[in-house]
Each structure stands twice: as structure tokens, then as C-alpha cells.
Amino acid sequence: MFNTRWEQIMGARSGVDLVQIITWNDYGESHYIGPIEKDQPNSNAWVDGFDHTAWSTMSAYYIQAYKTGVYPTIVQDKIYMWARPHGKSDSAPDPAAGRPNNADWTDDYLWIVLFSTGNGSLTVTQGSSQATWSVGPGVNKLKLASGVTSTGVTATLSRNSQQVFSYSAPITFTHSPATYNFNAFVFAGP
């Protein structure tokens, strides 16, 4: 996960002089965190509609921590979620883009990172799949098994029996993809 890599960098901070995010516009490998621009070398099919700028926004927290040596206090509740549009074992009938090499190395999860200002309860629903977690102040890293066909994800944060936010993201999941696409839908809110 993106957050885990940042935490590893922080753990080795005294021996790391510089951090460079080299995937600003690496559209071909679906590792971009910058805005989608027009210069995509033959990658429009799996990039268009898959904005990753939420990862850039999330990185600001870790960049500040790296620069100062101290994780900043979270002052606003915010959720980040990402998932692929289909399972790693699903078959696509379009022969134009074959199944990626090493596709089995990935996991079928909806990845969830909650920046929380306090204790609470987070409920995430994707289709008929739902999970609720107790969360604390700081960065909470969670995952929900993907696998149910859905047209969106809803995350609801509650604190002291009061709803803090309910955020819906159009992260879709299907077991019948027209083409293979191992890119991720990435969203942040509210």
C-alpha cells in the first residue's frame, strides 16, 4: 500500500536524504499520481476515468512528516479509497489487451485509509459486502474484500452516535469485464 511505503521511508528517515515520487505521470504502468493529461502513450483504454490525484493529496501528510520528522496532527476527517474494476481471476473477452503478466500477484481488495481526528466507527459498503471497524485518531489502514458486483462504495464515519460524514464514491466492480484493466479507481472525500 502507498501508505505503508511512506511509513517505511519515515522509519529510515535518518538514512534517506531525498524522497522522489517518480510516478507522477507513469500512465503505462498505472502508477501515476498527477492529473491525467493528453500525452498518454497508448494507455487511454485503462487510464481514462481512473484519476489518481487523491494519492497525491494523501502524500501531502507524509511529505510534511518527512520534512519535519513528526507526523502532523490530523485536523480534518478524510477518507481515501481505491480498488480495481474487476477481480484478478476474471476473464475478459477482448483479445486486444491480454491479461497482464503476474496478475495473480495482486489481491482483490477495496483499500481504505481514514485520516481521523478521533475515535469512532467506520462502516463501508460495497454492493452486498459491508464491514464496520472501530477507528482511532490518526491514520487508519483498512481493507474490504472485493468480489461483489457493485456500482459504488459508501463510507460512513460516526462518532459518539453522531454521523460525521457519509461519502459515496463511484468505485465499480464487476466479474464480467469487457477488457482487462488492473488500474485502480482512487477517490477521496468528503
Side-chain angles (χ1 to χ4, degrees):
M1 267 177 50
F2 202 63
N3 304 78
T4 301
R5 179 65 67 205
W6 271 113
E7 290 164 0
Q8 291 169 339
I9 291 168
M10 283 298 293
R13 183 176 175 272
S14 63
V16 178
D17 295 329
L18 173 74
V19 174
Q20 180 180 12
I21 301 173
I22 59 172
T23 59
W24 179 259
N25 63 352
D26 196 352
Y27 304 120
E29 294 184 4
S30 303
H31 288 203
Y32 52 93
I33 66 166
I36 298 171
E37 301 291 341
K38 63 181 177 177
D39 297 325
Q40 300 176 45
N42 301 319
S43 59
N44 295 70
W46 62 86
V47 172
D48 288 350
F50 290 82
D51 184 7
H52 290 182
T53 55
W55 281 335
S56 178
T57 304
M58 184 173 58
S59 291
Y61 172 82
Y62 293 101
I63 291 167
Q64 183 178 348
Y66 176 78
K67 287 180 177 181
T68 64
V70 178
Y71 284 104
T73 300
I74 295 179
V75 296
Q76 178 185 4
D77 296 299
K78 191 162 187 87
I79 192 162
Y80 300 88
M81 299 184 288
W82 61 93
R84 288 186 330 280
H86 62 80
K88 66 181 181 181
S89 300
D90 294 337
S91 295
D94 184 354
R99 189 167 186 268
N101 293 336
N102 305 316
D104 289 329
W105 291 4
T106 189
D107 293 313
D108 290 335
Y109 287 113
L110 168 68
W111 301 97
I112 305 151
V113 175
L114 174 68
F115 283 26
S116 180
T117 60
N119 293 321
S121 174
L122 180 69
T123 300
V124 176
T125 305
Q126 181 181 27
S128 60
S129 183
Q130 184 179 72
T132 300
W133 298 274
S134 293
V135 296
V139 178
N140 297 266
K141 297 179 294 184
L142 311 161
K143 61 186 178 182
L144 177 66
S146 291
V148 292
T149 300
S150 67
T151 57
V153 175
T154 301
T156 304
L157 177 64
S158 300
R159 198 172 281 131
N160 300 320
S161 301
Q162 298 292 314
Q163 181 175 300
V164 176
F165 69 72
S166 184
Y167 174 70
S168 294
I171 297 173
T172 61
F173 191 87
T174 182
H175 285 293
S176 302
T179 60
Y180 290 107
N181 189 343
F182 277 69
N183 200 350
F185 290 110
V186 184
F187 290 92

